[in-house]
């Protein structure tokens, strides 16, 4: 009986300690893992998230870029981290929904190994081609691509990345199989396109915006129902007769499953407060993002979004991925 009382006392003491830790969180520097190279939309979004948490939670949240395998290397690192709130993943549609379509032996389960914190933003993608590419609109691109698929080189940020998913969706709609060339992020893809090493890419508007505006590459279509305010003269895929090419990847915040609920609640509240700031809304708009509205924030809304996008895209991407092999 004495041993039972001692064991009970230890359990209660530990429970009390865990509760205090959750209540005091954070007490030291935390890491926000961005699973892609610096400079692209994923990186910039992750840094916005880290800044929000730093300001509202009173400790430094530093970004660590962990690149590789279409973002899954960083996601694995985050999934295997202690569930204590000090390792956070700034993930997206690829890492936290569709990765199993491309990695059958994926070392984590996107929905079981992560607890959702909240949606940050969605970034409509754009089809951008090198300056000398022989097409100036989506109709001309479709005609050329169908006639010359073996000549096309496509840059992407790795198997399962949003740039890979976007172009795979495009190729599925057109029934073509170009050569897809992986890079460590979308910034290196852009450099390769400027050098003439790849013909085109599918990337959130931000990734190619400055070079499109400078006239160094051409934007042929925004993969959405409405035009991007940053590229108002670029017609959408829907306007140009290819509604199947519709992709606006979500970027969102996750923690390892098992993170104490009081810590998750603190992160949810901080993210929500940050996203309500006019300065943050303006910054996201400048990046070509669609900010998460109030009713689409939080763990429940993010869970529903993941389920919906998985149901919509997984069958198409699995079939297309099989053809790429």
């Amino acid at each position: 009986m004495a041993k039972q009382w001692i064991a009970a006392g230890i359990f209660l003491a530990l429970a009390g300690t865990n509760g205090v830790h959750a209540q005091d969180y954070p007490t030291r520097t935390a890491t926000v893992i961005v699973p892609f190279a610096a400079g692209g939309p994923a990186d910039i979004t992750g840094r916005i998230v880290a800044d929000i948490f730093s300001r509202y939670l009173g400790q430094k949240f530093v970004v660590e870029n962990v690149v590789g395998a279409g973002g899954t290397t960083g996601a694995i690192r985050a999934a295997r981290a202690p569930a204590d709130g000090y390792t956070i993943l700034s993930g997206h549609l690829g890492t936290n929904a569709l990765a199993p379509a491309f990695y059958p032996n994926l070392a984590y389960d996107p929905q079981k190994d992560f607890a959702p914190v909240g949606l940050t933003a969605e970034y409509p993608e754009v089809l951008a081609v090198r300056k000398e590419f022989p097409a100036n609109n989506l109709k001309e691109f479709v005609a050329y691509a169908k006639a010359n698929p073996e000549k096309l080189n496509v840059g992407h940020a790795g198997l399962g990345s949003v740039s890979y998913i976007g172009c795979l969706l495009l190729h599925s709609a057109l029934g073509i199989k170009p050569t897809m060339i992986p890079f460590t992020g979308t910034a290196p893809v852009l450099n390769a396109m400027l050098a003439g090493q790849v013909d085109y890419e599918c990337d959130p508007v931000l990734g190619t915006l400055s070079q499109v505006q400078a006239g160094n590459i051409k934007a042929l279509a925004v993969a959405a129902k409405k035009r991007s305010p940053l590229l108002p003269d670029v017609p959408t895929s829907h306007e140009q007769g290819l509604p199947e090419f519709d992709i606006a990847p979500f970027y969102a915040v996750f923690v390892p499953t098992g993170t104490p609920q009081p810590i998750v609640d603190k992160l949810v509240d901080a993210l929500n407060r940050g996203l309500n700031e006019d300065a943050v809304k303006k910054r996201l708009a400048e990046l070509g993002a669609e900010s998460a509205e109030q009713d689409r924030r939080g763990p429940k809304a993010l869970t529903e979004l993941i389920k919906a996008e998985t149901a919509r895209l997984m069958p198409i991407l699995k079939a297309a991925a099989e053809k790429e092999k």
Side-chain angles (χ1 to χ4, degrees):
M1 180 66 72
K3 289 182 179 180
Q4 291 176 335
W5 280 109
I6 292 172
I10 292 173
F11 173 81
L12 290 172
L14 289 174
T17 301
N18 289 339
V20 170
H21 285 178
Q23 185 178 5
D24 293 345
Y25 169 86
T27 60
R28 55 183 172 84
T29 298
T31 299
V32 176
I33 290 179
V34 171
F36 291 97
D43 177 64
I44 296 174
T45 305
R47 293 180 188 278
I48 291 173
V49 167
D51 178 66
I52 288 173
F53 287 149
S54 295
R55 290 187 290 106
Y56 281 101
L57 295 176
Q59 291 286 344
K60 290 184 68 175
F61 283 71
V62 297
V63 168
E64 180 181 0
N65 297 92
V66 182
V67 304
T72 62
T73 299
I76 290 169
R77 171 89 65 87
R80 293 177 176 173
D84 56 8
Y86 290 95
T87 302
I88 293 162
L89 177 67
S90 181
H92 61 34
L93 176 68
T95 57
N96 291 83
L98 301 177
F102 313 107
Y103 297 93
N105 300 314
L106 191 63
Y108 69 95
D109 185 314
Q111 297 189 37
K112 291 182 180 178
D113 292 337
F114 287 102
V117 173
L119 175 66
T120 306
E122 292 168 299
Y123 287 83
E125 292 198 17
V126 62
L127 169 61
V129 302
R130 58 182 174 83
K131 186 176 181 179
E132 298 80 11
F133 192 85
N136 293 303
N137 56 52
L138 187 56
K139 183 178 180 180
E140 292 177 359
F141 175 88
V142 170
Y144 182 86
K146 286 186 174 182
N148 304 279
E150 71 286 347
K151 295 182 180 180
L152 299 176
N153 293 315
V154 189
H156 62 87
L159 188 69
S161 65
V162 295
S163 54
Y164 182 86
I165 291 168
C167 275
L168 203 60
L169 196 63
L170 173 64
H171 300 160
S172 175
L174 300 184
I176 61 173
K177 185 182 175 183
T179 299
M180 299 188 75
I181 303 173
F183 292 80
T184 58
T186 51
V189 173
L190 179 59
N191 290 333
M193 188 160 58
L194 290 170
Q197 296 168 348
V198 298
D199 294 308
Y200 63 95
E201 67 170 325
C202 303
D203 194 29
V205 172
L206 167 67
T208 57
L209 179 63
S210 62
Q211 297 298 339
V212 169
Q213 291 175 332
N216 296 326
I217 60 175
K218 298 183 290 188
L220 302 188
V222 175
K225 292 179 181 178
K226 61 181 181 180
R227 297 192 183 195
S228 168
L230 299 184
L231 294 172
D233 296 328
V234 178
T236 70
S237 54
H238 288 256
E239 289 178 76
Q240 299 184 78
L242 195 66
E244 299 89 347
F245 181 44
D246 187 325
I247 181 111
F250 67 76
Y251 286 68
V253 179
F254 303 85
V255 291
T257 295
T259 300
Q261 191 60 44
I263 291 177
V264 175
D265 291 342
K266 281 193 171 186
L267 292 168
V268 170
D269 179 67
L271 182 63
N272 190 48
R273 291 164 68 188
L275 292 176
N276 280 336
E277 293 177 1
D278 289 338
V280 171
K281 290 180 181 178
K282 180 182 178 183
R283 177 59 175 148
L284 287 171
E286 290 171 347
L287 300 174
E290 295 180 359
S291 298
E293 297 300 328
Q294 190 74 37
D295 61 350
R296 301 185 68 228
R297 296 186 201 158
K300 183 179 179 182
L302 178 54
T303 298
E304 292 173 352
L305 175 61
I306 291 171
K307 289 180 178 178
E309 285 295 83
T310 300
R312 179 175 78 95
L313 295 171
M314 188 70 85
I316 298 170
L317 298 177
K318 275 187 174 181
E322 282 297 318
K323 292 180 182 179
E324 288 292 328
K325 292 180 180 179

